[in-house]
Amino acid sequence: MDKWLKKVEPDTEPTQLILNETEIIDEPEPLLSSFITDSSLVTEQELEVSQPSKTDKKKKPAERKFNEKWLTMTEYKNWLTTKTNIKQKEVAYCKVCSSLMSPHLTEIKRHGQSAKHISNSNQVVQQNSVNEVFKMSSLTEKTRIAELKLTALFATNNLPFSLSDTLTPLLSTIFPDSKIAKNLTLKRTKATAVMKNVLGNNFLNELCDTLREPGSFYSLIMDETTDISEIKQCAVVIIYFDTESMTVKTQFLDMIETISGTADDLTDALLKCASDKGIEKNMMVGFSSDTTNAMAGKFHSVFTNLKTAVPGIACIKCSCHMIHLSASKACLKLPRSIEDLLRNVGSHFSRSHSRQSKYKAFQEFFQVEIHKILSPCTTRWLSLKACVDRVLEQFPALKEYFRLVNFEDPSKTSELIFSTMENSFSIIYLEFMSYSLGLLTNFNTLFQGEGPLLHLLKPEIEKLLKTISMNFFTIEYIRSLDTIMNVSPNLSQYYLPLNEIYIGISANDSITTLKNQNVVDSNEIFKFFKSCQEYYIELVVDIKKRFVFDDSVFECITVTNPALVKLFKTKSLANILKRFPVLNNFIDNAQELDKEWRELALMELEPVEPSNPNDIMEYWRKVFCLKNSLGEIYFPNIFFVMRLLLALPFSNASVERLFSDLKNIKTMHRNKLKTDSLVGILRTKHSVVDCIAFKPSAAMVKSKTWDSSNIRDQH
């Protein structure tokens, strides 16, 4: 009989009944066991009759999902969010009431209109946030801004920090009605800490954040300081392309201390400087320095070490420094008495107010400009040219002045000066030097700029060599050369006759007058022209020796010249990818790069042509601003290539200017400034153009350095 009977167990879970489309009520399903007892026995037929059929069961509703659009709706976005329940299903959650809800819009609306939710929301609105509780007062913020601007004033004007001990109390007495002036507490200790840890560090962080962006290629310029102290210091300047302003920037990076001046120590210090700031060394694409053996030696130097550590880096010697050395070497072919004259005249007036006052009377009598007599300086490029021009300007007055000095207070030096000026050829030599050194000075002035000028280096050197070579070579020989870099200064068969050597208009007029007067021997004239010829030969030989363009970087850099882009002389940019392998990390397809290059050459870009042929940034800035219909850069691959090429260095003139600032900062009265203080001053001075218009950033105002305990620790 048992096989015909079956015991029915009660359901353990309630069945959900659907009341409407949006509401669910949990209600237990009627159990069969409520109609029969455990001991009741029914037949199978009776059981089938009592159970509902499958068709009578209601279907379960489809499971709804949370709609992300609800989070953006005005009535829900301030308190609604999503959360996962214990069944790992996404449900709605109220942040104000800390309650879960079904992901149904009707239930969410009902909860938002409930009295509990409205009460909790009102309490949240009235309660202040943590940021508001600890919010800086308006007076404190304005006081910090005032102290930052005062500290920037000290840096930009080379003022000592000790001035703040007097300036701060003075401001409070001058402006007694100003709450900011009364609240100032800037003294020398605080000013030093603010300079180093607020201004200096924040300017550095802003620079490093820019350099950490993808595709931020950079070049470094390094030089040892000329400061005579027990600490060996090296200044480092960085060149990079700023995507925000779409221009190339040259900024002071750091002043590092080194154990010695050897190649290995300098290289380690340079690489450590970049790594400590989180800058990738692989993004270093260029390096420039002077021509010392430790820096640019052929076998073991910073150049060779960097080429091993950073494959593909372009190491370029300072072009201004090399031209200066070439000029100095060529001047040795001229009579030494001329350079001695310049030095002796400068030394005679350099430290004597009495002599300068006495000479002023001669200047007024001969009606020449009241100018100071200059002295040649070995550490300033081509300063000899300025000294030559000044002596030529003052020559009549100087000659008569030293005639009187030699009569009243004769000395060996004054006699030598007067005898040299009495020589008829002295003024002609000075006129020749003024012309020839002027060619080199114009070149040097061009490459002392901070814009991208490497593309002009080779053309300008070739132009300079042609000008010099034409002065003593026949024009037929110059034209026969494939390139002027193949000129051979020792081929005497192509020399011009000595009397036809070009020496400049002024010198030529003077030598012609001298010939017509018949007051000098023809041998002296021959000797003069021979010296000029030897000067030219030595100058050409030395320039060719120092400026070597074997590196393919000088071929790659030509594509930055806007004039050559339209001419399409360079058919492909594949050689640039080979020269700088780091570009392959940003350019996936070399063929796509060439496609963009060809499109750029075909485009009519008349409005983008630069107004100044040397200002290539004006051209590329407008090219980079071209966008397609989707708002994307039209030439993305060319953008990466040009960012690299435009950041390559060409001289270390920016570091030399830094040393000039360093002399104004570290004076005899401030000779105990530590390196970190110097670094803070230099970073601030080169970042703040105008301390009046300077607006400190929020990070500067909220810096922890404002805590008095931190400031005391920094002293």
Side-chain angles (χ1 to χ4, degrees), residues 69-81 95:
K69 293 183 179 179
W70 298 341
L71 298 177
T72 60
M73 298 175 68
T74 306
E75 58 268 31
Y76 307 131
K77 65 179 182 180
N78 293 329
W79 55 270
L80 183 63
T81 185
K95 294 185 288 185

Side-chain angles (χ1 to χ4, degrees), residues 577-643:
L577 300 181
K578 294 179 182 179
R579 177 60 183 82
F580 296 99
V582 68
L583 281 172
N584 294 309
N585 299 329
F586 304 94
I587 299 176
D588 298 329
N589 192 340
Q591 186 61 56
E592 190 66 24
L593 173 63
D594 275 1
K595 178 184 176 183
E596 293 180 10
W597 180 246
R598 291 174 173 272
E599 289 180 1
L600 179 61
L602 290 172
M603 291 181 70
E604 292 294 335
L605 297 176
E606 292 301 330
V608 231
E609 293 294 336
S611 57
N612 183 359
N614 294 331
D615 186 12
I616 64 173
M617 279 313 306
E618 182 181 346
Y619 172 83
W620 289 111
R621 190 183 302 114
K622 294 180 180 179
V623 170
F624 296 152
C625 291
L626 295 176
K627 303 291 181 65
N628 57 18
S629 57
L630 299 177
E632 300 172 343
I633 296 178
Y634 201 85
F635 303 107
N637 293 313
I638 292 180
F639 182 56
F640 280 112
V641 172
M642 294 304 162
R643 285 176 65 180

Side-chain angles (χ1 to χ4, degrees), residues 62 165 175 254 605 616 656 658:
D165 293 344
F175 308 106
D254 204 354
L605 297 176
I616 64 173
E656 298 295 340
L658 189 69

Side-chain angles (χ1 to χ4, degrees), residues 255-280:
M255 182 82 71
I256 55 181
E257 297 181 0
T258 59
I259 302 174
S260 66
T262 62
D264 293 336
D265 288 339
L266 292 175
T267 306
D268 294 341
L270 184 69
L271 295 177
K272 186 176 184 300
C273 174
S275 62
D276 289 346
K277 295 170 179 56
I279 307 172
E280 294 186 21

Side-chain angles (χ1 to χ4, degrees), residues 46-241:
E46 292 173 332
L47 183 62
E48 291 177 357
V49 172
S50 62
Q51 289 179 343
S53 62
K54 293 182 180 180
T55 58
D56 295 336
K57 289 185 178 180
K58 294 184 178 181
K59 296 182 180 180
K60 293 184 179 181
E63 184 177 354
R64 299 192 179 184
K65 295 183 180 181
F66 188 89
N67 193 340
E68 298 292 337
K69 293 183 179 179
W70 298 341
L71 298 177
T72 60
M73 298 175 68
T74 306
E75 58 268 31
Y76 307 131
K77 65 179 182 180
N78 293 329
W79 55 270
L80 183 63
T81 185
T82 60
K83 213 167 189 179
T84 304
N85 61 8
I86 58 176
K87 295 183 179 181
Q88 302 299 318
K89 293 183 178 180
E90 188 180 33
V91 296
Y93 178 74
C94 176
K95 294 185 288 185
V96 176
C97 304
S98 300
S99 59
L100 296 172
M101 297 166 286
S102 298
H104 293 178
L105 187 60
T106 303
E107 185 172 349
I108 294 172
K109 287 181 179 179
R110 185 182 295 114
H111 176 82
Q113 297 171 358
S114 65
K116 176 184 176 182
H117 178 82
I118 294 173
S119 176
N120 292 338
S121 298
N122 293 334
Q123 293 178 7
V124 171
V125 172
Q126 296 174 2
Q127 185 178 7
N128 294 328
S129 64
V130 176
N131 294 333
E132 291 177 346
V133 172
F134 296 98
K135 186 177 180 180
M136 187 188 309
S137 66
S138 176
L139 178 60
T140 303
E141 182 178 356
K142 291 179 180 178
T143 303
R144 291 185 178 183
I145 292 175
E147 291 178 342
L148 284 166
K149 292 172 79 75
L150 284 174
T151 308
L153 173 69
F154 298 150
T156 54
N157 293 274
N158 303 320
L159 299 174
F161 296 135
S162 58
L163 179 63
S164 59
D165 293 344
T166 305
L167 181 61
T168 302
L170 180 64
L171 292 175
S172 62
T173 58
I174 295 176
F175 308 106
D177 56 341
S178 173
K179 295 181 180 180
I180 298 176
K182 289 182 179 180
N183 207 31
L184 290 175
T185 59
L186 188 70
K187 298 296 180 65
R188 69 171 73 186
T189 305
K190 187 175 183 179
T192 305
V194 170
M195 179 70 71
K196 293 189 296 186
N197 304 316
V198 181
L199 290 173
N201 284 350
N202 276 277
F203 286 133
L204 176 63
N205 292 336
E206 292 174 3
L207 173 61
C208 292
D209 290 342
T210 302
L211 295 173
R212 293 189 191 106
E213 295 177 359
S216 295
F217 307 106
Y218 66 92
S219 297
L220 295 181
I221 305 174
M222 182 180 183
D223 199 2
E224 299 175 74
T225 64
T226 55
D227 184 22
I228 303 175
S229 62
E230 59 182 7
I231 303 175
K232 193 74 173 177
Q233 296 174 325
C234 289
V236 182
V237 171
I238 190 167
I239 306 174
Y240 67 99
F241 185 90

Side-chain angles (χ1 to χ4, degrees), residues 11-28:
D11 293 336
T12 57
E13 294 184 359
T15 305
Q16 291 182 336
L17 298 180
I18 301 176
L19 297 181
N20 52 47
E21 294 181 356
T22 61
E23 203 167 350
I24 298 176
I25 298 179
D26 294 337
E27 184 176 318

